[in-house]
Amino acid sequence: NYGVFRTYDGGKNWEGMSAIRNPTCFLQDTVDEKGIWWPYGAGIYYIKDMNAKRFEKIDADYNVEELVCNEVVSIPSDKAPVLHTMVMDHGHLTSESIDVKAMGQKSAVIGRGTAFDYCEEDPSLAVSCGFYQNDPSTGDTVLAVSTDYGRTCDAVNWIDRTNAITDVVMSPKKQKNGYPVIMAVAYGNSTYE
């Protein structure tokens, strides 16, 4: 958790107000000058009185859908799903039609989806990545390869499971061995130079 602090003397003295989770920003209410809108990683809080000794948070996110999409990809093929979406709390979602709710992965399960790519020469070859836990620096990495346009993916061996993969790309052409090149960007502690 992070803290909220307030100063009335230009920063000389600070007082702790509240513990918060996943802070993004504060927005002053344009209707009530004492009010503060407080969007965070799982919704929206509202504070009625910014001058109160302690902030009283009110859940103000009724009827608001929060979905953190890291990547949305459409493979240009009639054989592929209409859309692939890599989502922070729902992993890798595939949409066969724009009229039907997206489905989660049927094979390699990714808790937090970060990236998706495919081979332009053979779009049936695709790669997706992500991790299981909230903190990508300690979460188990998932790197998965597909041969059916991303509908199902099999996890592959990854050199360092403690570093979460935040991005992945697949070369547009296959190599002589029949496989495209896959490059991954990992987040976390590393000694690679």
Side-chain angles (χ1 to χ4, degrees):
N1 282 345
Y2 299 85
V4 178
F5 300 89
R6 176 175 61 197
T7 180
Y8 287 106
D9 57 10
K12 292 178 185 172
N13 296 291
W14 292 88
E15 59 181 338
M17 299 300 302
S18 177
I20 62 173
R21 88 180 221 220
N22 301 327
T24 54
C25 65
F26 282 136
L27 303 167
Q28 187 168 7
D29 189 335
T30 57
V31 177
D32 180 354
E33 64 183 31
K34 289 184 179 181
I36 297 173
W37 294 100
W38 172 357
Y40 71 107
I44 302 167
Y45 284 140
Y46 185 76
I47 288 86
K48 287 184 176 181
D49 185 1
M50 65 184 282
N51 296 311
K53 198 69 176 158
R54 295 283 295 168
F55 284 164
E56 295 295 326
K57 302 177 291 232
I58 299 169
D59 286 321
D61 52 7
Y62 299 108
N63 298 318
V64 174
E65 173 64 32
E66 180 202 8
L67 188 66
V68 180
C69 295
N70 288 318
E71 191 157 26
V72 179
V73 176
S74 178
I75 297 175
S77 170
D78 292 341
K79 298 176 183 176
V82 173
L83 214 57
H84 289 278
T85 310
M86 303 306 290
V87 183
M88 277 311 285
D89 290 326
H90 302 287
H92 178 181
L93 303 179
T94 57
S95 303
E96 293 291 339
S97 164
I98 60 171
D99 301 326
V100 179
K101 183 178 177 181
M103 299 299 295
Q105 274 295 358
K106 299 172 187 150
S107 47
V109 177
I110 297 174
R112 316 297 190 241
T114 56
F116 180 90
D117 200 12
Y118 64 93
C119 177
E120 291 178 24
E121 181 182 346
D122 181 357
S124 69
L125 302 175
V127 62
S128 57
C129 67
F131 52 96
Y132 290 116
Q133 300 176 13
N134 283 323
D135 182 359
S137 65
T138 59
D140 292 331
T141 289
V142 180
L143 180 62
V145 177
S146 173
T147 58
D148 63 358
Y149 301 92
R151 284 185 177 90
T152 60
C153 297
D154 294 320
V156 298
N157 289 331
W158 168 241
I159 192 168
D160 186 352
R161 292 232 177 246
T162 62
N163 290 351
I165 301 175
T166 57
D167 201 4
V168 66
V169 293
M170 185 175 270
S171 64
K173 302 275 185 189
K174 293 191 281 189
Q175 305 170 88
K176 289 181 182 177
N177 66 7
Y179 294 101
V181 175
I182 299 172
M183 293 182 69
V185 176
Y187 172 92
N189 297 326
S190 177
T191 57
Y192 301 114
E193 298 182 54

